[in-house]
Amino acid sequence: MSKAQGMLKLYKREAVGTRKALERVPFDKAEWAPHEKTDDLLATFDQGVSAIEAALADVTDEAWTEHWSLKSGGTEVAGGRRGAFFGSLVLNHVIHHRGQLTVYLRLLDIPVPALYGPSADEQ
């Protein structure tokens, strides 16, 4: 398995859990909305997942070890191996915000989906 295939496998696993949580966003509760501009939350999410999957398909094993940098005005403000960036800033970022979403679901008394194992709400 190439590094890209491994990263894609991790990404897809996390995307499944994130989609489960997004499916439960209670748009029928007028007093709360995730964002006033988010009309079709799941379609937007699915488009993003497809774009990441397509982009990862062409990344070579060598590219995962290349230096990646975030620059501001031409000055590097963060950098490291491309694979480490994807793991820490992309996957962990998605997981973090999915965690925030599940807290909102809990506060609204919406059953929290199973993500890494059984959920007490789904037993």
Side-chain angles (χ1 to χ4, degrees):
M1 176 185 312
S2 71
K3 290 179 183 183
Q5 290 170 327
M7 287 292 189
L8 183 57
K9 184 177 178 179
L10 289 173
Y11 182 78
K12 283 183 165 185
R13 184 184 70 206
E14 295 304 332
V16 168
T18 300
R19 193 172 204 291
K20 282 184 191 179
L22 290 172
E23 287 171 349
R24 297 184 184 199
V25 170
F27 287 104
D28 61 331
K29 294 187 183 265
E31 70 276 5
W32 181 84
H35 194 281
E36 66 272 5
K37 295 180 181 178
T38 308
D39 293 329
D40 197 343
L41 187 64
L42 292 175
T44 300
F45 175 74
D46 290 342
Q47 288 170 358
V49 169
S50 293
I52 292 289
E53 289 176 358
L56 288 180
D58 296 328
V59 179
T60 65
D61 283 354
E62 294 77 26
W64 288 106
T65 62
E66 291 173 357
H67 185 81
W68 171 89
S69 63
L70 173 66
K71 295 181 180 181
S72 176
T75 303
E76 183 176 304
V77 294
R81 287 185 308 110
R82 193 177 307 261
F85 159 75
F86 185 82
S88 65
L89 293 180
V90 175
L91 289 177
N92 290 348
H93 191 78
V94 168
I95 293 165
H96 165 76
H97 285 289
R98 183 180 63 212
Q100 289 179 317
L101 175 58
T102 60
V103 170
Y104 290 126
L105 294 175
R106 171 68 66 224
L107 293 172
L108 292 168
D109 203 27
I110 306 290
V112 175
L115 298 172
Y116 295 110
S119 166
D121 293 342
E122 293 188 340
Q123 291 186 13

